[in-house]
Every structure is written in C-alpha cells, then in structure tokens.
Amino acid sequence: MKVRKGLVLLLACVLVLAVSSMAFAAPPQWVQEKKVQKQMTKQWKEKFKDMGEHWAEEAVERMSAKGLIDGYEDSTYRPKAKVTNEEALAMIVRAVYPNSEVDTENVLYDMKHWKQLSSPWAMGTLAIAVDNELTSAGEMFSLIPKKPAKRIDVVRYIAKALMNGDIEAADLNLDFIDISKVDETDMALLERVVAAGIFQGNPDGTFQPFKPISRAEMAILLQRIDDKIDNEVDGAQVKGALDSIDDSEIVITVDGDEKTYDLADEVSVFRNNHRAELDDLTAGDEVLVIFNEDGAVKFIAAREMKVEDEVEGVVTQLDNDEEWIEIEDNDGDENRYDLADDIIVKIDDENADYEDLLVGDNVELKLENDLVVKIKVEVEEDEVSGIVSDIDSDEITILIDDEEQTFTFTEDIEVKINGEEATVSDIDEGDTVDLEVVRGSVVKIEVEYETEEIEGVVSAVYDDGIIVLVDDDEETYQYAENLTVEVDGEEADFDDIAEGDSVELEVVDNTVYSISAERQEEKVEGQFVAMSNDEITILVDGDIEKYQLADDVEIDVDEDMEIGEVPMGSEVELQIQSDKVVRVEIDAN
C-alpha cells in the first residue's frame, strides 16, 4: 500500500475541552451544596518528587491542579526538560480556550510530520490553534511536533492568543542585548508580552530568544496567563481574603460575601511562593483556591495581604549593609524603614542601585507591609552663591551668610570665568562664585570678575607676561591660563604680538584674560645708505635715519645683485610694522 508523504486528516467535529481557569465569583451551586463529611486533612508533602524547593514549584502544582500540565508516571515533573512545539501549543490552547471546539468536517490539514503527533486527538488542539490564529495552516504544514519550542516561538503563540484585548500593543524599546536577530514582527509581539509582565529577561540583560523553553518556564508562563485572563469556567477556582481555616474547611470573603468551602482529603498549600502548612496561613491573606471534581478545595495559594504606603522626605542616613534607610519626612519626623530583598531604585527614572543613593536626596518611598520595595529619587538642581574660602581638585568650601559649606566636584565639572571656559585651578580663595549643585555635588562653577580695560603700546612680550606702555608708564601683566589673543581681528597666540603693537587688555588684578592687538603700519621712502643684519640706514628728506629690521624681514632687490653691491643713493621703500621693518624694496636702476 502506498502512503503519500503528507497526511490529510478529516476530523468529524473534534471537541477540545480544557480545564477551567480562574473564576473570581463564588463557585456554582453544585459546589456550595455538595455534602462532604469533614475529616482531618492530609496535606501533600510534594506532588512531584523532583520539585521540592524548586523556584517554579507553586506554579507547577497550581497548573497541574487546573489540568493544564501533568507529570510523568514516575511522579516526576522534569522541570529542565524541553517543551515541544505540540506541547507548547496544547498548553496555551488549554489555558486560553478551555471550552473551544472546532468543527473540522470541512477542514483539511496536510501535515508533513503528522507521524510525530502524540495522538489523533492532538490534531483537534492544533486545529483550535489555527482557528484562533496562533499559527497558520501554512506554518502547521512544516511544524515539527516533537521539536523543542524556542522562547520566541512561545512569545509568538502567547501574544497572538492574548491579542483580543488581554494585552495591549507596546513600544518599549527593549534593551535585551541578544535580540538583534529577532525579526520586526516578532519584536512587536515580544514587546507586548514583556509589557504585560508575562515574559521577562535574564539578570545578565539577555532574553535568549532562540533557546528551547523548559517545562519549569512554561509553568510560570501559564500561571501568568491564568492571572491575566478570566475564562469564567464555573467551579474552577476562587479568589478572596482568608477569614479562617481548620483541618476540614476554609472560610473566605469573596466580593464582600463570606463563603465556606470543604477541604479535600489532600490539599497542596503554598504561602508567598513556598510550600506551607495550613497553620501557616493567616487571616487577611489573599488566597486562591482550586476545587476538585467533588467541589472540595484541593489547592491553596496564599499571599500575605499587601498594605501599601508612600512616604516622601530627605535621606538622613544610609546603611552600609543595605538593610534600611532613614529619612526626614515632610512633617520633620525622622524614621527608619527596612528594605525588601528585591528593592527597586530609580534616579531620575533611570535604574540605579542602593549604593547610588546619597544623604540629602529627595526621595519617594513605596512600602508594602512596612518594607520599602521601591525608592524613587527626584534630582533637583540648586544654585548656591558665596565666597571661596578653600578649594582643591576635589572639592570647594564657600562662605554663605557667615557659614562654611563644602561641596564635592563631579568628574565632568564645568568652569567658566567671565563666560570663558576655565579650570578649577583658575579659581582662587576670595573669589565670588555661583555654583550649580546636584545631589550635593557641584556640576558647574561660574566666576564673574570685575574687569578693567587697559589700552597701550607693547613694550615687551615674554612667555608668562607682557609689558605695556600706558600713559608713559610701563605696566607688567601676567597671562591667565585661559588667555585669548587676537591680532588684527584674527585669533592668535601671545607670541604673535610684537613690540609697538597697540593693544587693548582685559585685566583682573594684574592678570590679563584677553589681548586685542593692532599692528601699526607705515611706509618710508628714501635713498639707500647702508644695511646690516639688524638695521638699515637711509636718507629721508636730507636726514640720515636708521630702522630696526624684523627677524623675518623680506628684502626685494634686483635678482643678480647682492646687498653689498647696492649702490648708495638707490631708491628704497620700507614697510614698517610696530617700529620694525618687515619689507625692504630697493630700486638700484
């Protein structure tokens, strides 16, 4: 008999039913009226022998109690085992579409790898997945049922299953460091499930999109889905506040009404994500209970009731062991608050650590059950003015209203003196400064000196200062480190200034911060007399005159003639700048 490569399965109205999800009303009448003889309750030590103290133990037992997942015949769950594509789709379908049915009478599925299906009934589950667009008929053809499902595959299935309003579109700009190869369509779905709190990344900043998903991870995801949706399946589970509990019954307040439920012979109990005994439960706990087929409670998950509070104030003390924080609140009272283990710290909406906090920070504390779970710091800039009493490379002390205050510098501190960039070393004791202070540290210093404008003629220029003739008196000025120089309107250096230049200086306490120089030029005509390396002598209007030559003087004479060959009386034109000859032009003809 010849078998074709693909198989066409024609299923006559396959009905796939899954167990119910969370219902937040009281169970139906059949549960409330069920007569169950009260007796001492035996609690499960553990349903799966390989899940004791496992981080996903509660999720596994809760989802098992709802019938969404199961273990193996040897009483193991095998949390590290990989979930196959068929299993992943089946689990999600049972969680999201517990009462769905698909009439496949006129639907043909051609699956290339149909032989890998665990049973003919599995086709019905996959038909529901296709019908609800978790995957397409085309994708189903190439689906390999027994191949491990990747995390990004499960992202796609869950996001599409919850697309009908249970989760919203999101634009998170995800910062996982290993998702560059995730395509644009899957990236949008990933943003949805991360924003909804169903998927999370790893502590090292990765998401591992192409890593096979484990059975433990799948249990956690199903639990989060179960918390997210309400399938309204009667009798499945109830949420409320615990009033009382003994070995035979539990009393819960549900939507304002007190309800009493019998306990099954064996009850699996968890409190705050750890296996517990009935005696560990406390009145006021938030509880979720799941019923067995007889209407008795077989699973209890309890959470300590959250009492939330917010406190605002200023940090007065921090603990080196990161166990508490002390603040002065807006009423002036100082209080110490203990910290939760997984505290969140935000500084200007950016993730931070406890060690980044500073005394003096303005903080908002979020408390749950008297423990700080979140610290939010609102950074404010302060402007402080005073007179410098001490300064070094790390900090500055200024006098404010006769009281000294010391501030540290940030690494990238900005310093400006009279609007010009400067350094901390340019500031002196006695200077009046304006500081911009953020969280106790100086980010900017501004100094405005009263400058004196001086005009004169340059007498001498040195490496560290300049001598200027001012009203027939020579004055000496030292260069500031941030000295600016212009010569004839062009940016220059101090060594571009020459003796005789006319200058305008901006001076503070004999320190010059700005020099603007103008070259004095003139032309002199006469008859050549003599010339040496340092000077030239010419006859001007019958008088002998001598002029100093600049070091870089330019001499223009007949090409075939040396200076020593120039005859006396030749016509000469001198170009002079700042009392120095910069050009000599000789006409020997």
Side-chain angles (χ1 to χ4, degrees), residues 426-466:
D426 296 323
I427 300 173
D428 298 316
E429 294 181 14
D431 287 345
T432 298
V433 293
D434 295 322
L435 310 181
E436 284 187 15
V437 182
V438 175
R439 302 181 69 221
S441 295
V442 181
V443 298
K444 184 177 182 180
I445 305 176
E446 288 187 321
V447 182
E448 290 291 337
Y449 294 129
E450 293 186 6
T451 60
E452 180 182 3
E453 292 187 357
I454 295 174
E455 295 182 358
V457 177
V458 176
S459 296
V461 178
Y462 301 104
D463 290 342
D464 58 354
I466 187 171

Side-chain angles (χ1 to χ4, degrees), residues 443-514:
V443 298
K444 184 177 182 180
I445 305 176
E446 288 187 321
V447 182
E448 290 291 337
Y449 294 129
E450 293 186 6
T451 60
E452 180 182 3
E453 292 187 357
I454 295 174
E455 295 182 358
V457 177
V458 176
S459 296
V461 178
Y462 301 104
D463 290 342
D464 58 354
I466 187 171
I467 300 176
V468 179
L469 187 64
V470 181
D471 296 331
D472 297 329
D473 293 325
E474 286 190 339
E475 303 288 350
T476 301
Y477 304 99
Q478 302 299 313
Y479 300 140
E481 289 191 12
N482 58 331
L483 172 69
T484 60
V485 178
E486 286 187 355
V487 175
D488 289 336
E490 300 291 334
E491 185 176 338
D493 296 319
F494 69 84
D495 53 5
D496 294 321
I497 301 171
E499 294 178 22
D501 284 351
S502 296
V503 291
E504 293 182 359
L505 312 180
E506 289 187 1
V507 177
V508 177
D509 295 332
N510 284 329
T511 299
V512 57
Y513 288 85
S514 173

Side-chain angles (χ1 to χ4, degrees), residues 516-560:
S516 179
E518 288 187 4
R519 292 279 157 81
Q520 303 299 314
E521 289 191 359
E522 64 173 319
K523 289 184 178 180
V524 177
E525 295 180 352
Q527 290 76 45
F528 180 81
V529 175
M531 185 174 179
S532 66
N533 291 333
D534 299 319
E535 65 180 16
I536 184 172
T537 305
I538 65 174
L539 184 66
V540 180
D541 296 332
D543 296 324
I544 298 295
E545 302 287 350
K546 293 185 178 183
Y547 299 93
Q548 295 294 316
L549 298 177
D551 292 337
D552 55 349
V553 60
E554 180 183 350
I555 301 175
D556 184 6
V557 68
D558 290 346
E559 293 182 1
D560 298 331

Side-chain angles (χ1 to χ4, degrees), residues 110-310:
D110 194 350
M111 286 192 67
K112 181 178 180 180
H113 303 284
W114 63 273
K115 289 184 178 180
Q116 290 191 17
L117 291 176
S118 58
S119 71
W121 293 101
M123 178 58 74
T125 304
L126 298 181
I128 294 174
V130 173
D131 190 59
N132 288 278
E133 299 181 353
L134 275 66
T135 186
S136 67
E139 292 169 335
M140 190 62 67
F141 170 77
S142 58
L143 182 76
I144 303 176
K146 296 303 182 185
K147 183 178 180 180
K150 299 183 181 68
R151 283 168 59 85
I152 195 63
D153 296 329
V154 178
V155 165
R156 191 182 310 116
Y157 301 150
I158 292 177
K160 290 181 177 180
L162 302 181
M163 197 76 80
N164 60 353
D166 293 306
I167 60 174
E168 302 295 333
D171 184 9
L172 295 185
N173 191 23
L174 297 174
D175 57 359
F176 299 127
I177 62 177
D178 59 346
I179 58 175
S180 61
K181 294 184 179 179
V182 175
D183 66 38
E184 186 176 344
T185 300
D186 284 344
M187 188 71 75
L189 298 177
L190 177 59
E191 290 176 349
R192 281 178 178 258
V193 294
V194 171
I198 295 174
F199 264 94
Q200 298 174 355
N202 302 307
D204 61 359
T206 63
F207 182 76
Q208 297 179 305
F210 306 107
K211 177 185 176 183
I213 199 158
S214 71
R215 285 171 56 82
E217 291 173 318
M218 200 70 200
I220 293 292
L221 295 176
L222 293 173
Q223 178 174 259
R224 290 171 183 166
I225 293 173
D226 197 45
D227 288 335
K228 179 67 62 176
I229 62 178
D230 181 6
N231 283 325
E232 300 180 354
V233 180
D234 290 341
Q237 63 187 32
V238 168
K239 267 189 174 181
L242 178 65
D243 291 327
S244 63
I245 190 169
D246 58 28
D247 284 342
S248 59
E249 63 183 21
I250 183 172
V251 181
I252 305 173
T253 297
V254 181
D255 294 333
D257 296 326
E258 190 177 276
K259 303 291 182 181
T260 301
Y261 308 111
D262 293 320
L263 299 182
D265 292 346
E266 292 182 334
V267 183
S268 185
V269 181
F270 288 85
R271 187 172 192 268
N272 295 335
N273 204 36
H274 295 284
R275 185 173 291 281
E277 303 289 337
L278 293 178
D279 292 343
D280 296 325
L281 305 185
T282 303
D285 281 352
E286 297 175 350
V287 293
L288 176 147
V289 300
I290 298 176
F291 302 97
N292 64 16
E293 59 185 7
D294 295 322
V297 174
K298 66 176 180 179
F299 177 89
I300 302 173
R303 296 286 185 273
E304 185 179 2
M305 184 174 61
K306 289 183 181 180
V307 179
E308 298 184 341
D309 194 11
E310 290 187 355

Side-chain angles (χ1 to χ4, degrees), residues 322-440:
E322 301 185 8
E323 294 181 352
W324 51 262
I325 186 173
E326 190 172 283
I327 71 168
E328 180 180 333
D329 62 28
N330 295 337
D331 295 326
D333 298 325
E334 287 194 11
N335 291 291
R336 180 173 292 183
Y337 300 92
D338 292 329
L339 307 179
D341 292 336
D342 53 351
I343 187 169
I344 297 172
V345 179
K346 295 275 188 178
I347 298 177
D348 258 2
D349 293 327
E350 297 289 335
N351 290 329
D353 297 317
Y354 179 88
E355 62 188 18
D356 298 320
L357 300 174
L358 299 174
V359 171
D361 277 343
N362 291 306
V363 295
E364 178 183 300
L365 308 183
K366 182 178 179 181
L367 291 86
E368 291 181 1
N369 300 329
D370 294 328
L371 289 179
V372 179
V373 296
K374 184 176 183 179
I375 301 176
K376 183 179 180 181
V377 180
E378 291 292 343
V379 177
E380 298 179 357
E381 289 189 4
D382 293 326
E383 294 185 357
V384 180
S385 298
I387 299 174
V388 179
S389 58
D390 191 22
I391 187 170
D392 59 29
S393 59
D394 299 318
E395 62 184 23
I396 185 172
T397 301
I398 64 174
L399 194 63
I400 306 172
D401 297 330
D402 297 327
E403 292 187 6
E404 286 189 339
Q405 290 191 33
T406 300
F407 304 91
T408 58
F409 298 139
T410 58
E411 291 184 2
D412 54 350
I413 184 169
E414 180 183 1
V415 180
K416 288 199 171 182
I417 296 178
N418 289 350
E420 300 291 336
E421 291 186 3
T423 64
V424 169
S425 60
D426 296 323
I427 300 173
D428 298 316
E429 294 181 14
D431 287 345
T432 298
V433 293
D434 295 322
L435 310 181
E436 284 187 15
V437 182
V438 175
R439 302 181 69 221

Side-chain angles (χ1 to χ4, degrees), residues 50-112:
D50 58 347
M51 289 302 296
E53 300 298 323
H54 192 279
W55 52 268
E57 184 181 16
E58 179 184 323
V60 168
E61 291 213 13
R62 174 177 159 185
M63 294 300 98
S64 176
K66 294 198 67 175
L68 297 182
I69 56 178
D70 205 352
Y72 294 88
E73 292 181 356
D74 61 355
S75 297
T76 62
Y77 179 73
R78 304 177 193 175
K80 294 181 180 180
K82 299 170 183 176
V83 177
T84 67
N85 286 316
E86 177 189 342
E87 290 170 336
L89 282 168
M91 291 177 184
I92 295 167
V93 164
R94 289 199 294 267
V96 182
Y97 311 106
N99 287 331
S100 292
E101 57 182 86
V102 175
D103 185 354
T104 60
E105 184 176 357
N106 297 314
V107 179
L108 297 179
Y109 287 97
D110 194 350
M111 286 192 67
K112 181 178 180 180

